Amino acid sequence: MSQATIDRPFLVQRLREWSLFRAITLKLPWQPDDLLASSNWLQLKTAAGTNTEAVEILAEAGRTKRIRNTARTSLNHRSDS
C-alpha cells in the first residue's frame, strides 16, 4: 500500500483522515490533536457526527467559524432531544 501511495500526498492524507474519522465514529482510541490538525473537510464531517467528545472539541477549537457553528448546532440538537 505504501508503494502505491508514495507519490500521492493527498491520497495519503485522505486515507489517514478516513481512518481517524472511523476511529472517532466507532469510539475507538483517537487523539484530539489529530482531529484539530486535520483538514476542514474532516473537521466539518466530524462536527456533524455523533461522537460528543469530538463535537465538543470542534465547537470550542474547530479551525473555521463554520466548523465551530456546525458543532455547536449539533450539540444543541442533542440537548433538545
Side-chain angles (χ1 to χ4, degrees):
M1 181 69 129
S2 61
Q3 197 66 1
T5 61
I6 198 163
D7 293 329
R8 294 178 174 84
F10 176 78
L11 178 59
V12 171
Q13 177 187 356
R14 193 50 56 100
L15 287 170
R16 190 177 310 119
E17 289 187 345
W18 271 112
S19 295
L20 177 58
F21 182 70
R22 181 179 184 276
I24 291 168
T25 302
L26 297 176
K27 299 187 179 179
L28 300 172
W30 58 277
Q31 296 298 315
D33 288 342
D34 292 339
L35 178 59
L36 293 174
S38 68
S39 67
N40 290 355
W41 170 82
L42 179 62
Q43 286 192 12
L44 191 58
K45 190 164 183 60
T46 303
T50 59
N51 185 310
T52 303
E53 179 186 2
V55 174
E56 287 174 347
I57 289 168
L58 292 173
E60 191 66 31
R63 180 177 290 120
T64 67
K65 186 175 182 179
R66 180 178 180 197
I67 292 166
R68 293 187 302 273
N69 286 339
T70 299
R72 288 181 191 124
T73 299
S74 182
L75 289 172
N76 287 339
H77 283 0
R78 290 173 205 190
S79 64
D80 291 344
S81 298

